[in-house]
Amino acid sequence: MAVCVAVIAKENYPLYIRSVPTQNELKFHYTVHTSLDVVEEKVSAVGKALADQRELYLGLLYPTEDYKVYGYVTNSKVKFVIVVDSSNTSLRDNEIRSMFRKLHNSFTDVMCNPFYNPGDAIQSRAFDSVVSGMMVQAC
Amino acid sequence: MADALFEFLHTEIVAHVYKEQAQRGDTEKERSSSLSALEGMGFRVGQGLIEKFTKDSPSFKDDLDIMKFVCKDFWTNVFRKQIDNLRTNHQGTYVLQDNKFALLTQISSGKQYLEEAPKFLAFSCGLLRGALSNLGLESVVTAEVSLMPACKFQVVIQKN
């Protein structure tokens, strides 16, 4: 499903980033990096919007020729970005939602782990396997 | 059941931290450093807990919205009751009053153990500060007790 999954800290530095084809790794770093501007824009718009629109899921951030980029912001302002292949048209919005949900649940577990220091890069095997679960179906 | 366990654990942590410090240094320093040790523990716990509790809540409108969440949901989840009174001057200072604070109910009420109170409140101050910090509000939290099971937390948001 996903070709790249990234977690970005409140201060906009990466906590975790993983992509499928390793030769394109740098390209995904760029894609995720550029998406942060769109996230910022959406988050500040949400603040002004009506009460019922205050959702954590931000939806499609922007499409490129080959990929679609989706975003999600937790209440602690940690951003999740998922990059999906555009050719995969069967993927529906609520599937993306449930991926973010899973990612968020796993991230909370990481945060509640006493051996993890908030703000450090995520090196958790449990988190890794959740992310792998989202990516394997692409291969 | 679960809250009884937390209360016992909290009492033990306080006792342990003070015993450790007493074995080491002189009394003046020891007091403030044990308080900050407890505060630091609370901070980390607060950070983790707020991440869990805000998982299903919509994003917050403003600072007051965050404070309301902390007073209602966060406090209920941790201490089984809501904050009784929240006051603010709308300039970043909030006073949270709990008339029957869970961690002080075991101690006999009144003024007898008043000077022992700070060490049982340091953890909770940290808890508050950690929760707010993870939601993007850097703050200074102090606690105040004038009559035993009642307690006031003063939160001053640091503007940057």
Side-chain angles (χ1 to χ4, degrees):
Chain A
M1 282 201 266
V3 287
C4 175
V5 174
V7 180
I8 294 121
K10 198 184 333 196
E11 296 86 359
N12 285 340
Y13 61 89
L15 291 175
Y16 184 92
I17 179 159
R18 205 161 121 216
S19 47
V20 158
T22 36
Q23 69 272 23
N24 273 340
E25 209 179 349
L26 192 60
K27 189 172 134 194
F28 285 118
H29 281 236
Y30 283 136
T31 315
V32 172
H33 188 227
T34 29
S35 73
L36 287 179
D37 275 340
V38 190
V39 170
E40 200 78 10
E41 209 172 277
K42 293 223 177 198
V43 167
S44 54
V46 161
K48 289 169 207 131
L50 293 164
D52 50 293
Q53 285 177 307
R54 289 182 291 135
E55 232 194 324
L56 302 179
Y57 175 59
L58 298 175
L60 179 67
L61 297 178
Y62 66 92
T64 67
E65 228 167 274
D66 311 311
Y67 305 106
K68 281 181 186 159
V69 186
Y70 291 88
Y72 184 101
V73 175
T74 71
N75 274 313
S76 50
K77 299 286 170 277
V78 171
K79 294 111 187 155
F80 300 142
V81 176
I82 292 183
V83 184
V84 179
D85 207 314
S86 289
S87 61
N88 190 348
T89 45
S90 61
L91 206 60
R92 268 168 301 150
D93 201 50
N94 48 4
E95 284 173 64
I96 304 276
R97 258 172 218 270
S98 81
M99 273 157 76
F100 276 121
R101 211 72 285 222
K102 261 191 249 164
L103 203 61
H104 194 174
N105 281 335
S106 188
F107 176 73
T108 353
D109 291 341
V110 172
M111 270 302 287
C112 293
N113 177 359
F115 296 105
Y116 172 74
N117 267 327
D120 286 1
I122 298 169
Q123 288 167 317
S124 152
R125 225 175 289 165
F127 191 79
D128 259 339
S129 72
V130 167
V131 174
S132 307
M134 292 173 186
M135 308 220 286
V136 279
Q137 281 128 312
C139 315
Chain B
M1 183 60 198
D3 38 331
L5 288 179
F6 166 60
E7 278 155 26
F8 280 129
L9 179 64
H10 177 260
T11 320
E12 280 310 311
I13 291 171
V14 173
H16 175 77
V17 168
Y18 271 80
K19 209 167 106 193
E20 285 261 292
Q21 295 285 341
Q23 283 167 354
R24 257 179 269 157
D26 48 17
T27 45
E28 245 340 280
K29 255 192 196 157
E30 150 210 327
R31 183 158 222 142
S32 62
S33 72
S34 342
L35 282 182
S36 59
L38 286 168
E39 213 265 352
M41 287 181 205
F43 185 81
R44 179 62 183 89
V45 173
Q47 273 188 316
L49 284 179
I50 202 74
E51 194 71 53
K52 239 191 170 76
F53 296 154
T54 57
K55 205 166 60 182
D56 300 309
S57 58
S59 56
F60 299 110
K61 263 191 311 209
D62 49 17
D63 295 3
L64 189 62
D65 212 24
I66 292 178
M67 289 309 293
K68 280 185 191 159
F69 179 88
V70 168
C71 291
K72 289 182 185 156
D73 302 65
F74 183 76
W75 218 254
T76 319
N77 275 315
V78 181
F79 299 113
R80 310 271 156 215
K81 76 186 279 297
Q82 291 186 9
I83 282 283
D84 295 295
N85 191 345
L86 167 69
R87 268 177 292 168
T88 174
N89 66 351
H90 296 287
Q91 281 166 2
T93 305
Y94 298 85
V95 177
L96 289 69
Q97 191 178 339
D98 191 332
N99 294 332
K100 197 166 177 291
F101 186 54
L103 298 178
L104 294 179
T105 46
Q106 274 74 20
I107 306 166
S108 56
S109 49
K111 295 183 184 239
Q112 189 183 0
Y113 293 105
L114 216 52
E115 55 197 56
E116 302 288 329
K119 59 184 182 183
F120 293 100
L121 293 171
F123 184 86
S124 313
C125 285
L127 204 67
L128 258 175
R129 198 167 65 84
L132 292 174
S133 139
N134 208 6
L135 293 177
L137 297 177
E138 294 306 327
S139 58
V140 173
V141 180
T142 46
E144 192 190 307
V145 188
S146 47
L147 205 62
M148 231 358 174
C151 161
K152 273 184 198 161
F153 293 93
Q154 189 181 37
V155 178
V156 182
I157 310 285
Q158 306 291 296
K159 289 274 178 259
N160 39 1

